[in-house]
Amino acid sequence: MHPTIALARLLEGMGTVIPVSHVRKEDSSRIKEILDAYPNIDQSHITDANNQGDVIRLQFLDQNNRIEQQTGFMDPITPEDVEGLMDCDVFVCIPITDYEVPLQTLAHIRAHSDATIIFDAHGPTNTVDTEGKRHLRYWLDRDLWLPYIDILKMNMEESFCTWYEERDHSLKLGHFSDDGAAHLPTLAAHVLSHGVKALIVTQDEHGGVLFYKEGSAVVEERFKAIRVENVIDTTGCGDSFAGGLGFGVLIDPDDLKLAIRYANALGAQRTQGRSFEVFKNRSETDKIILDFYGVH
């Protein structure tokens, strides 16, 4: 919902957002009611045929750590679910659990579309046990996925689950410091050598880091997070960030810095309340970017 509505605001008068999701029948009408307020959201690929949708309860321990209990499970997004969408310009894949966007779906998109594929590593680095408790996991089949991803986005926690070769296995997942980023250049070199065009690792209020290639060299650039006075709610910030990447890539596929500025702007907007009214249109968002970065 967060990236869908955020993108709809940015694309007012210029483009369409097509969310692809499975939901429970009891949630379907409320979801439609919310999305009906945005005429450029095409709801035709939100389905409740199997009456399955995610239900997750969150108990926040602090800004970065929370206890998650999942009691409802969306059935996976299959190649059949994205039929008719191969002419889209950008696919923003934001699975929250490992099974939700399978590898074969990414492979299908790659085989039948020229779209840019943005993928959030939150999915393959999170799983659910038989009691519904959600846990971090290693992305052990990582290299099978990389050729089908153009822009790979993750946070620091997920980066440790993705580059397990050089991790201190005595540490418990979920208890990392933002300072422990020594593995990122090696991780970046690896994923970029497997077909990924850019790796973006977010670091909360510290901003993050972008890796890409110029010729055979791996380039590392840090980016600042947009500062806000008061943080009300951070739920959905990462999802909103991914949506901003999608908009930036749509505007200029060759300007990753522009994509990150839009991503940071949507992440910052998301912190400002608990409703979807926090998201601004493009002109308002461009002003936020210009005021903070001096460019838009």
Side-chain angles (χ1 to χ4, degrees):
M1 295 290 275
H2 295 112
T4 295
I5 293 174
L7 281 168
R9 292 301 317 275
L10 291 177
L11 284 166
E12 287 174 358
M14 63 175 289
T16 302
V17 186
I18 309 171
V20 182
S21 188
H22 301 149
V23 301
R24 300 184 303 171
K25 292 184 183 298
E26 64 188 273
D27 299 323
S28 188
S29 60
R30 177 58 178 147
I31 290 170
K32 184 180 188 304
E33 179 185 347
I34 293 171
L35 297 184
D36 277 346
Y38 307 91
N40 61 336
I41 294 178
D42 179 343
Q43 301 182 44
S44 61
H45 285 71
I46 301 175
T47 62
D48 62 7
N50 292 332
N51 195 26
Q52 289 182 243
D54 284 336
V55 180
I56 300 175
R57 298 186 182 278
L58 306 177
Q59 178 185 348
F60 282 88
L61 304 177
D62 54 43
Q63 177 177 320
N64 296 312
N65 294 290
R66 62 196 184 192
I67 298 172
E68 302 185 13
Q69 185 81 20
Q70 186 161 349
T71 58
F73 307 91
M74 182 190 81
D75 44 319
I77 301 297
T78 66
E80 290 74 20
D81 290 308
V82 294
E83 282 302 321
L85 301 181
M86 295 301 104
D87 60 345
C88 288
D89 297 291
V90 182
F91 283 85
V92 183
C93 304
I94 312 178
I96 61 170
T97 312
D98 48 13
Y99 70 91
E100 291 180 339
V101 180
L103 175 58
Q104 58 263 40
T105 301
L106 290 190
H108 178 83
I109 295 171
R110 174 66 83 227
H112 296 91
S113 173
D114 295 326
T116 298
I117 299 174
I118 299 170
F119 190 79
D120 194 323
H122 188 81
T125 58
N126 282 265
T127 192
V128 185
D129 66 20
T130 55
E131 296 180 344
K133 296 177 181 177
R134 294 172 53 80
H135 304 280
L136 288 166
R137 65 180 287 267
Y138 287 130
W139 190 0
L140 295 173
D141 59 348
R142 170 200 63 207
D143 290 357
L144 298 179
W145 293 70
L146 297 179
Y148 305 104
I149 299 169
D150 293 308
I151 299 176
L152 178 59
K153 174 254 177 191
M154 63 183 64
N155 60 28
M156 282 296 296
E157 200 169 55
E158 292 153 4
S159 77
F160 280 97
C161 297
T162 303
W163 192 245
Y164 37 81
E165 287 90 339
E166 297 183 4
R167 182 177 167 263
D168 181 354
H169 294 272
S170 66
L171 294 175
K172 184 178 179 182
L173 282 174
H175 294 80
F176 295 109
S177 165
D178 285 334
D179 298 329
H183 64 293
L184 293 183
T186 311
L187 167 61
H190 181 86
V191 301
L192 295 175
S193 71
H194 282 69
V196 176
K197 296 177 182 177
L199 171 66
I200 297 167
V201 184
T202 60
Q203 298 172 314
D204 297 325
E205 69 272 15
H206 304 297
V209 59
L210 161 69
F211 296 93
Y212 60 94
K213 272 191 172 183
E214 286 187 351
S216 59
V218 175
V219 178
E220 175 181 345
E221 294 192 25
R222 300 201 65 80
F223 55 87
K224 295 180 179 179
I226 293 178
R227 296 291 178 183
V228 294
E229 290 298 323
N230 297 299
V231 174
I232 297 172
D233 189 354
T234 61
T235 306
C237 283
D239 298 344
S240 303
F241 184 98
L245 289 178
F247 182 77
V249 167
L250 181 67
I251 298 302
D252 188 344
D254 298 318
D255 191 347
L256 291 171
K257 297 175 186 177
L258 174 68
I260 288 175
R261 290 196 289 271
Y262 275 111
N264 277 336
L266 293 197
Q269 289 175 20
R270 179 62 199 89
T271 68
Q272 297 305 286
R274 294 186 173 89
S275 75
F276 299 114
E277 295 177 0
V278 296
F279 295 118
K280 311 299 182 184
N281 62 27
R282 186 179 178 185
S283 62
E284 294 170 314
T285 302
D286 283 348
K287 184 178 186 307
I288 292 171
I289 292 171
L290 181 62
D291 289 346
F292 186 81
Y293 292 109
V295 294
H296 64 73

